[in-house]
Amino acid sequence: MRKFCVYGKGGIGKSTVVSNIAAALAEDGKTVMVMGCDPKSDMTRNLIGKRIPTVLDVFRAKGPDEMKLEEVIFKGFNGIYCVEAGGPEPGVGGAGRGVVTAADMLDRLGAFNNLEPDVVIYDVLGDVVCGGFAMPLRKGLADDVYIVTTCDPMAIYAANNISKGIKRFADRGEVSLGGLIHNGRSVVDEPSIIESFATRLGAKVMGRLPMSELISRAEIRHKTVLEYAPNSEIADMFRGLALSIYLNEDRIVPKPLSDDELDEINEEIDVLMRNKETKEAV
């Protein structure tokens, strides 16, 4: 079983990446399971076309002893098994609780043994890597981690923090960093920025996804690009990214950047932004 996590700050495009690479792997004949670990519980919507009950929804309504596998796992596009961990009731408990509960309940219900997925993908919020959000790392549920980032300074800052968390668990031999995924949806999009960041981490860039209106059009209709525009260039890019991650064996212990090193990258981004503003003014 190939198991990996996709991390990144909120709004960075993790769900877009996960749903499309899941669709690509399923298209290639693999049995795929995805688990949304964001309290918004909307990661699987583009695979199913609507929101699904979360593990915590069913847990609260029926209790652990009455839950059934078919109440928390639903089939989506290309036969992908979809699960949403869910979050706590507002003002009660930490958001990571849903991640821990979902993983425990899936194991208890025999999801992995009964469904025998070839690939399991966790979509994990990564603004902070602590508590339940670090669960896939702490429990060794994944072989490696992939971080989605743009050229935005805050996205790179979050990716660096995630790398710090990965390093802690990688040092124990529990999980490692597989690489970065460059999402080209920032104001300034320069591949050399992400390549430089990856080099300093000791990692590689698995692929770059340019900004595409097809992604927005597909998501308006609650679909993946592979379903909405299967013959498009961006769909082929998702297929290439999915394959490179699935076959990747080059995993590393990241070397997180210092604040001074992050400032150097931010200066490079600032220069690019000022150059862009000058060109636009002309």
Side-chain angles (χ1 to χ4, degrees):
M1 190 189 304
R2 179 76 172 90
K3 305 167 291 180
F4 59 90
C5 298
V6 177
Y7 274 80
K9 74 182 293 294
I12 204 69
K14 297 182 306 302
S15 296
T16 297
V17 170
V18 170
S19 60
N20 279 282
I21 63 176
L25 292 170
E27 179 184 77
D28 196 44
K30 296 171 179 59
T31 301
V32 181
M33 179 187 294
V34 295
M35 183 193 293
C37 302
D38 189 319
K40 296 194 304 297
S41 306
D42 59 358
M43 183 262 125
T44 58
R45 186 165 55 174
N46 292 339
L47 291 168
I48 294 183
K50 61 182 180 180
R51 288 181 180 271
I52 60 176
T54 71
V55 173
L56 275 190
D57 287 339
V58 179
F59 184 88
R60 284 191 288 261
K62 306 191 72 170
D65 295 331
E66 299 298 322
M67 292 175 66
K68 297 179 181 178
L69 194 59
E70 59 268 25
E71 294 175 315
V72 294
I73 294 186
F74 302 84
K75 269 194 176 184
F77 177 64
N78 277 349
I80 297 166
Y81 292 111
C82 300
V83 185
E84 290 285 354
E89 296 180 44
V92 180
R97 176 187 169 196
V99 184
V100 176
T101 302
D104 289 345
M105 289 310 304
L106 287 180
D107 188 50
R108 178 173 177 174
L109 294 170
F112 303 110
N113 291 331
N114 294 339
L115 301 178
E116 298 184 323
D118 301 308
V119 184
V120 179
I121 312 173
Y122 299 91
D123 175 355
V124 190
L125 181 67
D127 291 82
V128 290
V129 184
C130 61
F133 292 125
M135 179 276 301
L137 307 183
R138 293 202 333 261
K139 293 196 173 184
L141 297 183
D143 303 315
D144 48 2
V145 176
Y146 296 86
I147 305 174
V148 181
T149 186
T150 66
C151 287
D152 179 74
M154 290 307 298
I156 292 175
Y157 175 80
N160 196 59
N161 273 349
I162 294 166
S163 295
K164 291 179 181 178
I166 294 170
K167 183 179 186 304
R168 177 170 300 136
F169 298 107
D171 285 339
R172 304 177 195 167
E174 295 176 350
V175 75
S176 54
L177 177 62
L180 303 183
I181 300 169
H182 177 187
N183 191 359
R185 53 184 281 182
S186 52
V187 175
V188 173
D189 181 40
E190 173 51 57
S192 65
I193 295 293
I194 305 303
E195 290 288 352
S196 174
F197 176 48
T199 298
R200 295 184 189 212
L201 282 175
K204 63 181 179 181
V205 179
M206 304 303 299
R208 175 179 178 270
L209 301 166
M211 187 177 292
S212 171
E213 65 176 27
L214 283 177
I215 294 176
S216 299
R217 288 182 182 178
E219 293 188 342
I220 287 172
R221 293 162 177 79
H222 304 316
K223 294 182 177 181
T224 62
V225 174
L226 272 82
E227 180 179 7
Y228 177 71
N231 299 319
S232 63
E233 183 178 0
I234 190 68
D236 283 342
M237 288 182 175
F238 279 118
R239 291 183 179 103
L241 175 62
L243 186 61
S244 66
I245 290 175
Y246 181 78
L247 297 176
N248 183 39
E249 296 181 355
D250 185 14
R251 302 160 188 168
I252 58 100
V253 177
K255 297 176 288 187
L257 279 63
S258 66
D259 288 343
D260 288 342
E261 289 175 307
L262 286 175
D263 285 342
E264 290 175 10
I265 291 178
N266 289 339
E267 285 294 329
E268 293 178 41
I269 296 172
D270 185 54
V271 169
L272 290 171
M273 291 183 70
R274 284 189 274 111
N275 289 342
K276 181 180 180 182
E277 290 170 357
T278 299
K279 290 180 180 178
E280 290 176 348
V282 172

